[in-house]
Amino acid sequence: MAWTREQMAARAAQELREGYYVNLGIGIPTLVANFIPAGMSVNLQSENGMLGMGPFPFEGEEDADLINAGKQTITELPSTSYFSSADSFAMIRGGHIDLSILGAMQVASNGDLANWMIPGHMVKGMGGAMDLVAGVKRVVVVMEHVAKGHPKLLSECTLPLTGRRVADLVITDLGIFEIQKRGAVNMTLTGLAEGVTVDEIRAKTEAEFSIALSSPATMPAGC
C-alpha cells in the first residue's frame, strides 16, 4: 500500500534534528511542519522573508496575510521574525540553512534534480529552487513515485535541471532512496512502504539502484 501525502511528510520529518534551520518547498513538503517531533526546536525559513513558521493551517484556520514563498497560507509562532527576501536569500546562499525538503518532477540516480519547469507549459520562473539546492547542506526530495504512469526516478533527467548532484535522500509514496553522488551505482533503496515489494519498485523505477533494507520503514504514531 502506497504512503499517503501525510505519511510521506511524516517520514521526511524524521530527517529533522534539534536546532536545524529548514526550508520547506511547496506541496507535500509544507506538511512536514505538522510532524516536527514533540520537544524538538526547528526553525522553518521561507524565501519571502520569514523565519519561524508554525504548523500548516487546517481549513478554516488560514490567515490570508500569512503566506510562504509558494503563496500558501501558513502560521506564525511567538518567535517568528520577518525580513526582506534579500536577507532571506543571503541566509540560503551563505550556507546557513541545514536542510531543504522539496518536491520534484524528476530525480536522477546521481542526484540531479528537476523540479521547476515542464517544456511547453507557462512558468513564472525558478523561484528560489536553484539557490536552495546549491546553498543548503542537505536536500531531501518528497514526491510521488510515478506521474501519469511514467517513472520519476530516472538514470538521467529529461526535464530542465534545477541542480546537478544535489539530492541526498528521496522519499516517494513507495519507498526511500539514499543517493551517493559518486560511484557506479548511486541510488540505494533503504526503505519500503508497507505492502510494497522490491519487484514493484523495480517495475516503476527507470534508474538502477542497489538494495540495503535493514529494517521496515517506520512512521510516527497516528500516521
Side-chain angles (χ1 to χ4, degrees), residues 13 16-17 19-25 29-36 41-56 68 74-77 79-81 83 88 91 97 99-101:
L16 303 174
R17 299 293 181 270
Y20 263 19
Y21 288 86
V22 181
N23 186 288
L24 302 179
T30 61
L31 301 176
V32 172
N34 292 345
F35 296 99
I36 297 174
S41 176
V42 173
N43 299 284
L44 301 181
Q45 188 253 17
S46 181
E47 302 100 289
N48 59 330
M50 185 176 180
L51 182 65
M53 290 185 291
F56 194 72
N68 61 16
I74 52 178
T75 62
E76 64 179 357
L77 302 170
S79 58
T80 299
S81 59
F83 36 84
S88 184
M91 293 179 187
I97 306 301
L99 174 67
S100 184
I101 302 177

Short mmCIF file of all heavy atoms in Angstrom, two decimals, residues 13 16-17 19-25 29-36 41-56 68 74-77 79-81 83 88 91 97 99-101:
data_model
loop_
_atom_site.label_atom_id
_atom_site.label_comp_id
_atom_site.label_asym_id
_atom_site.label_seq_id
_atom_site.Cartn_x
_atom_site.Cartn_y
_atom_site.Cartn_z
N ALA A 13 9.92 14.29 8.09
CA ALA A 13 10.16 14.98 9.36
C ALA A 13 11.16 14.22 10.23
O ALA A 13 11.79 14.82 11.12
CB ALA A 13 8.85 15.15 10.11
N LEU A 16 14.68 15.70 10.44
CA LEU A 16 14.93 16.93 11.20
C LEU A 16 15.79 16.63 12.43
O LEU A 16 15.72 15.54 13.00
CB LEU A 16 13.62 17.57 11.63
CG LEU A 16 12.62 17.91 10.52
CD1 LEU A 16 11.31 18.40 11.12
CD2 LEU A 16 13.21 18.97 9.60
N ARG A 17 16.57 17.62 12.84
CA ARG A 17 17.40 17.50 14.03
C ARG A 17 17.27 18.76 14.87
O ARG A 17 16.99 19.83 14.35
CB ARG A 17 18.87 17.26 13.65
CG ARG A 17 19.13 15.99 12.85
CD ARG A 17 18.87 14.74 13.68
NE ARG A 17 19.15 13.51 12.93
CZ ARG A 17 18.26 12.85 12.20
NH1 ARG A 17 17.01 13.31 12.10
NH2 ARG A 17 18.59 11.75 11.56
N GLY A 19 17.60 22.11 16.55
CA GLY A 19 18.31 23.34 16.19
C GLY A 19 18.46 23.58 14.71
O GLY A 19 19.05 24.60 14.31
N TYR A 20 17.95 22.68 13.88
CA TYR A 20 18.10 22.84 12.43
C TYR A 20 17.35 24.10 11.94
O TYR A 20 16.30 24.46 12.46
CB TYR A 20 17.51 21.64 11.70
CG TYR A 20 18.51 20.57 11.29
CD1 TYR A 20 19.76 20.49 11.88
CD2 TYR A 20 18.18 19.63 10.31
CE1 TYR A 20 20.67 19.51 11.49
CE2 TYR A 20 19.07 18.65 9.92
CZ TYR A 20 20.31 18.59 10.52
OH TYR A 20 21.19 17.63 10.13
N TYR A 21 17.92 24.71 10.90
CA TYR A 21 17.23 25.72 10.11
C TYR A 21 16.82 25.04 8.82
O TYR A 21 17.67 24.49 8.09
CB TYR A 21 18.14 26.92 9.85
CG TYR A 21 18.37 27.75 11.09
CD1 TYR A 21 19.38 27.42 11.99
CD2 TYR A 21 17.56 28.85 11.37
CE1 TYR A 21 19.58 28.16 13.15
CE2 TYR A 21 17.75 29.61 12.52
CZ TYR A 21 18.76 29.25 13.41
OH TYR A 21 18.94 29.99 14.55
N VAL A 22 15.51 25.06 8.51
CA VAL A 22 14.96 24.22 7.45
C VAL A 22 14.08 25.04 6.52
O VAL A 22 13.30 25.89 6.97
CB VAL A 22 14.12 23.07 8.06
CG1 VAL A 22 13.56 22.16 6.97
CG2 VAL A 22 14.97 22.26 9.05
N ASN A 23 14.20 24.78 5.23
CA ASN A 23 13.33 25.38 4.23
C ASN A 23 12.44 24.29 3.64
O ASN A 23 12.94 23.25 3.21
CB ASN A 23 14.14 26.06 3.13
CG ASN A 23 13.27 26.81 2.15
OD1 ASN A 23 12.56 26.22 1.34
ND2 ASN A 23 13.34 28.15 2.20
N LEU A 24 11.13 24.54 3.63
CA LEU A 24 10.18 23.58 3.08
C LEU A 24 9.64 24.07 1.75
O LEU A 24 9.15 25.20 1.65
CB LEU A 24 9.01 23.38 4.05
CG LEU A 24 9.35 22.89 5.46
CD1 LEU A 24 8.08 22.78 6.29
CD2 LEU A 24 10.09 21.56 5.42
N GLY A 25 9.71 23.24 0.72
CA GLY A 25 9.16 23.58 -0.58
C GLY A 25 7.65 23.49 -0.58
O GLY A 25 7.02 23.07 0.40
N PRO A 29 5.98 18.93 0.93
CA PRO A 29 6.93 19.39 1.96
C PRO A 29 6.33 20.34 3.00
O PRO A 29 6.77 20.35 4.15
CB PRO A 29 8.03 20.08 1.14
CG PRO A 29 8.03 19.33 -0.15
CD PRO A 29 6.58 19.05 -0.43
N THR A 30 5.33 21.15 2.63
CA THR A 30 4.76 22.06 3.61
C THR A 30 4.13 21.31 4.77
O THR A 30 4.06 21.83 5.90
CB THR A 30 3.69 22.97 2.97
OG1 THR A 30 2.63 22.16 2.44
CG2 THR A 30 4.28 23.82 1.87
N LEU A 31 3.67 20.07 4.54
CA LEU A 31 3.03 19.29 5.57
C LEU A 31 4.01 18.82 6.64
O LEU A 31 3.60 18.41 7.74
CB LEU A 31 2.33 18.07 4.96
CG LEU A 31 1.23 18.36 3.93
CD1 LEU A 31 0.70 17.04 3.35
CD2 LEU A 31 0.10 19.15 4.55
N VAL A 32 5.30 18.88 6.34
CA VAL A 32 6.32 18.45 7.30
C VAL A 32 6.22 19.26 8.59
O VAL A 32 6.50 18.76 9.69
CB VAL A 32 7.73 18.57 6.69
CG1 VAL A 32 8.81 18.31 7.73
CG2 VAL A 32 7.88 17.58 5.53
N ALA A 33 5.78 20.52 8.48
CA ALA A 33 5.66 21.37 9.67
C ALA A 33 4.71 20.79 10.70
O ALA A 33 4.81 21.12 11.89
CB ALA A 33 5.20 22.77 9.25
N ASN A 34 3.79 19.93 10.27
CA ASN A 34 2.82 19.34 11.19
C ASN A 34 3.36 18.10 11.89
O ASN A 34 2.67 17.54 12.75
CB ASN A 34 1.54 18.97 10.45
CG ASN A 34 0.77 20.18 9.96
OD1 ASN A 34 1.02 21.29 10.40
ND2 ASN A 34 -0.16 19.95 9.07
N PHE A 35 4.57 17.67 11.53
CA PHE A 35 5.10 16.42 12.09
C PHE A 35 6.46 16.60 12.77
O PHE A 35 7.19 15.63 12.95
CB PHE A 35 5.21 15.36 10.98
CG PHE A 35 3.88 14.97 10.40
CD1 PHE A 35 3.43 15.54 9.21
CD2 PHE A 35 3.06 14.07 11.05
CE1 PHE A 35 2.20 15.18 8.67
CE2 PHE A 35 1.83 13.70 10.51
CZ PHE A 35 1.39 14.26 9.33
N ILE A 36 6.79 17.83 13.13
CA ILE A 36 8.02 18.05 13.88
C ILE A 36 7.92 17.33 15.22
O ILE A 36 6.93 17.50 15.94
CB ILE A 36 8.26 19.55 14.10
CG1 ILE A 36 8.45 20.25 12.74
CG2 ILE A 36 9.48 19.79 14.99
CD1 ILE A 36 8.55 21.76 12.84
N SER A 41 13.25 21.65 18.74
CA SER A 41 13.26 23.03 18.27
C SER A 41 13.85 23.09 16.86
O SER A 41 15.03 22.79 16.66
CB SER A 41 14.09 23.92 19.21
OG SER A 41 14.18 25.24 18.72
N VAL A 42 12.99 23.43 15.89
CA VAL A 42 13.40 23.55 14.49
C VAL A 42 12.90 24.89 13.97
O VAL A 42 11.76 25.29 14.22
CB VAL A 42 12.80 22.40 13.64
CG1 VAL A 42 13.08 22.62 12.16
CG2 VAL A 42 13.37 21.07 14.09
N ASN A 43 13.75 25.61 13.23
CA ASN A 43 13.39 26.91 12.68
C ASN A 43 13.09 26.77 11.19
O ASN A 43 13.99 26.46 10.40
CB ASN A 43 14.54 27.89 12.88
CG ASN A 43 14.85 28.11 14.34
OD1 ASN A 43 14.13 28.81 15.05
ND2 ASN A 43 15.93 27.50 14.83
N LEU A 44 11.82 26.99 10.82
CA LEU A 44 11.42 26.88 9.42
C LEU A 44 11.55 28.24 8.75
O LEU A 44 11.05 29.25 9.25
CB LEU A 44 9.99 26.38 9.31
CG LEU A 44 9.72 25.01 9.95
CD1 LEU A 44 8.27 24.62 9.75
CD2 LEU A 44 10.64 23.94 9.37
N GLN A 45 12.21 28.27 7.58
CA GLN A 45 12.51 29.51 6.87
C GLN A 45 11.84 29.53 5.52
O GLN A 45 11.72 28.49 4.85
CB GLN A 45 14.04 29.64 6.72
CG GLN A 45 14.51 30.96 6.18
CD GLN A 45 14.99 30.88 4.73
OE1 GLN A 45 14.70 29.92 4.03
NE2 GLN A 45 15.74 31.87 4.31
N SER A 46 11.37 30.70 5.09
CA SER A 46 10.75 30.86 3.78
C SER A 46 11.46 31.94 2.99
O SER A 46 11.86 32.97 3.57
CB SER A 46 9.26 31.21 3.93
OG SER A 46 8.65 31.35 2.67
N GLU A 47 11.60 31.74 1.67
CA GLU A 47 12.37 32.68 0.85
C GLU A 47 11.78 34.08 0.82
O GLU A 47 12.49 35.05 0.51
CB GLU A 47 12.46 32.19 -0.60
CG GLU A 47 13.08 30.82 -0.79
CD GLU A 47 12.04 29.75 -0.97
OE1 GLU A 47 11.35 29.44 0.03
OE2 GLU A 47 11.90 29.23 -2.09
N ASN A 48 10.49 34.21 1.09
CA ASN A 48 9.89 35.55 1.02
C ASN A 48 10.11 36.37 2.28
O ASN A 48 9.57 37.46 2.41
CB ASN A 48 8.39 35.46 0.69
CG ASN A 48 7.61 34.66 1.71
OD1 ASN A 48 8.13 33.75 2.33
ND2 ASN A 48 6.34 35.01 1.89
N GLY A 49 10.91 35.85 3.22
CA GLY A 49 11.31 36.66 4.36
C GLY A 49 10.67 36.33 5.67
O GLY A 49 10.20 37.22 6.39
N MET A 50 10.64 35.07 6.03
CA MET A 50 10.04 34.66 7.30
C MET A 50 10.88 33.55 7.92
O MET A 50 11.30 32.61 7.25
CB MET A 50 8.61 34.16 7.06
CG MET A 50 7.84 33.82 8.32
SD MET A 50 6.12 33.35 7.91
CE MET A 50 5.47 33.01 9.53
N LEU A 51 11.13 33.65 9.20
CA LEU A 51 11.87 32.63 9.94
C LEU A 51 11.07 32.28 11.18
O LEU A 51 10.74 33.14 12.00
CB LEU A 51 13.25 33.15 10.35
CG LEU A 51 14.15 32.16 11.08
CD1 LEU A 51 14.52 30.99 10.17
CD2 LEU A 51 15.42 32.86 11.58
N GLY A 52 10.74 31.00 11.31
CA GLY A 52 9.95 30.56 12.45
C GLY A 52 8.50 30.29 12.09
O GLY A 52 7.60 30.79 12.75
N MET A 53 8.26 29.52 11.04
CA MET A 53 6.89 29.19 10.65
C MET A 53 6.32 28.11 11.56
O MET A 53 7.04 27.22 12.02
CB MET A 53 6.86 28.69 9.20
CG MET A 53 7.13 29.76 8.16
SD MET A 53 6.92 29.14 6.48
CE MET A 53 8.30 28.01 6.35
N GLY A 54 5.01 28.21 11.82
CA GLY A 54 4.33 27.22 12.63
C GLY A 54 3.76 26.11 11.77
O GLY A 54 4.07 26.00 10.58
N PRO A 55 2.87 25.29 12.34
CA PRO A 55 2.24 24.19 11.58
C PRO A 55 1.44 24.71 10.39
O PRO A 55 0.94 25.84 10.40
CB PRO A 55 1.33 23.52 12.61
CG PRO A 55 1.90 23.91 13.93
CD PRO A 55 2.46 25.29 13.73
N PHE A 56 1.30 23.87 9.39
CA PHE A 56 0.47 24.20 8.23
C PHE A 56 -0.98 24.29 8.68
O PHE A 56 -1.48 23.41 9.37
CB PHE A 56 0.63 23.11 7.17
CG PHE A 56 0.11 23.48 5.82
CD1 PHE A 56 0.77 24.40 5.03
CD2 PHE A 56 -1.04 22.89 5.32
CE1 PHE A 56 0.29 24.73 3.78
CE2 PHE A 56 -1.53 23.21 4.06
CZ PHE A 56 -0.86 24.14 3.30
N ASN A 68 3.68 31.65 2.54
CA ASN A 68 5.07 31.30 2.27
C ASN A 68 5.44 31.71 0.84
O ASN A 68 4.65 32.37 0.15
CB ASN A 68 5.30 29.81 2.50
CG ASN A 68 4.45 28.93 1.59
OD1 ASN A 68 3.89 29.38 0.58
ND2 ASN A 68 4.34 27.66 1.95
N ILE A 74 0.18 29.97 5.87
CA ILE A 74 0.98 29.32 6.91
C ILE A 74 0.60 29.93 8.25
O ILE A 74 -0.27 30.81 8.34
CB ILE A 74 2.49 29.51 6.63
CG1 ILE A 74 2.80 30.99 6.40
CG2 ILE A 74 2.92 28.68 5.43
CD1 ILE A 74 4.27 31.27 6.16
N THR A 75 1.24 29.48 9.32
CA THR A 75 1.01 30.05 10.64
C THR A 75 2.32 30.58 11.20
O THR A 75 3.40 30.20 10.74
CB THR A 75 0.42 29.01 11.61
OG1 THR A 75 1.36 27.94 11.78
CG2 THR A 75 -0.89 28.46 11.08
N GLU A 76 2.21 31.46 12.19
CA GLU A 76 3.40 32.01 12.83
C GLU A 76 3.50 31.53 14.27
O GLU A 76 2.55 30.97 14.83
CB GLU A 76 3.37 33.54 12.80
CG GLU A 76 2.23 34.16 13.58
CD GLU A 76 2.24 35.68 13.53
OE1 GLU A 76 3.17 36.25 12.93
OE2 GLU A 76 1.33 36.28 14.12
N LEU A 77 4.65 31.77 14.89
CA LEU A 77 4.92 31.41 16.27
C LEU A 77 5.30 32.67 17.05
O LEU A 77 5.59 33.71 16.45
CB LEU A 77 6.08 30.40 16.32
CG LEU A 77 5.90 29.09 15.54
CD1 LEU A 77 7.22 28.33 15.50
CD2 LEU A 77 4.80 28.25 16.16
N SER A 79 7.99 33.28 18.31
CA SER A 79 9.39 33.58 17.98
C SER A 79 9.60 33.96 16.52
O SER A 79 10.74 34.21 16.09
CB SER A 79 10.27 32.37 18.30
OG SER A 79 9.81 31.23 17.58
N THR A 80 8.53 34.04 15.73
CA THR A 80 8.65 34.33 14.30
C THR A 80 9.24 35.71 14.06
O THR A 80 8.92 36.67 14.76
CB THR A 80 7.27 34.25 13.62
OG1 THR A 80 6.75 32.92 13.78
CG2 THR A 80 7.36 34.57 12.14
N SER A 81 10.11 35.80 13.05
CA SER A 81 10.66 37.09 12.63
C SER A 81 10.46 37.27 11.14
O SER A 81 10.36 36.30 10.39
CB SER A 81 12.15 37.19 12.98
OG SER A 81 12.90 36.16 12.36
N PHE A 83 11.61 39.66 7.53
CA PHE A 83 12.69 40.44 6.95
C PHE A 83 12.55 40.43 5.44
O PHE A 83 11.63 39.78 4.91
CB PHE A 83 14.07 39.88 7.37
CG PHE A 83 14.09 38.38 7.46
CD1 PHE A 83 14.29 37.59 6.35
CD2 PHE A 83 13.86 37.76 8.69
CE1 PHE A 83 14.29 36.22 6.43
CE2 PHE A 83 13.86 36.38 8.79
CZ PHE A 83 14.07 35.60 7.67
N SER A 88 16.69 36.92 3.25
CA SER A 88 16.34 35.51 3.25
C SER A 88 17.27 34.73 2.32
O SER A 88 17.77 33.66 2.68
CB SER A 88 14.89 35.33 2.81
OG SER A 88 14.50 33.98 2.90
N MET A 91 20.73 34.21 3.68
CA MET A 91 20.81 33.05 4.57
C MET A 91 21.06 31.77 3.78
O MET A 91 21.90 30.94 4.13
CB MET A 91 19.50 32.89 5.36
CG MET A 91 19.19 33.96 6.35
SD MET A 91 17.59 33.60 7.15
CE MET A 91 17.36 35.10 8.10
N ILE A 97 21.30 27.40 5.99
CA ILE A 97 20.15 26.51 6.06
C ILE A 97 20.65 25.07 6.05
O ILE A 97 21.37 24.65 5.15
CB ILE A 97 19.17 26.76 4.90
CG1 ILE A 97 18.77 28.23 4.83
CG2 ILE A 97 17.94 25.87 5.04
CD1 ILE A 97 18.10 28.76 6.08
N LEU A 99 18.87 22.16 6.04
CA LEU A 99 18.11 21.14 5.31
C LEU A 99 17.02 21.80 4.48
O LEU A 99 16.34 22.72 4.95
CB LEU A 99 17.47 20.16 6.31
CG LEU A 99 16.52 19.10 5.78
CD1 LEU A 99 17.27 18.09 4.92
CD2 LEU A 99 15.81 18.40 6.93
N SER A 100 16.87 21.33 3.25
CA SER A 100 15.74 21.76 2.42
C SER A 100 14.96 20.51 2.02
O SER A 100 15.55 19.51 1.58
CB SER A 100 16.23 22.50 1.17
OG SER A 100 15.14 22.98 0.43
N ILE A 101 13.65 20.57 2.20
CA ILE A 101 12.77 19.46 1.81
C ILE A 101 11.91 19.96 0.65
O ILE A 101 11.12 20.90 0.82
CB ILE A 101 11.90 19.00 2.99
CG1 ILE A 101 12.79 18.58 4.16
CG2 ILE A 101 11.00 17.84 2.56
CD1 ILE A 101 12.03 18.18 5.41
#
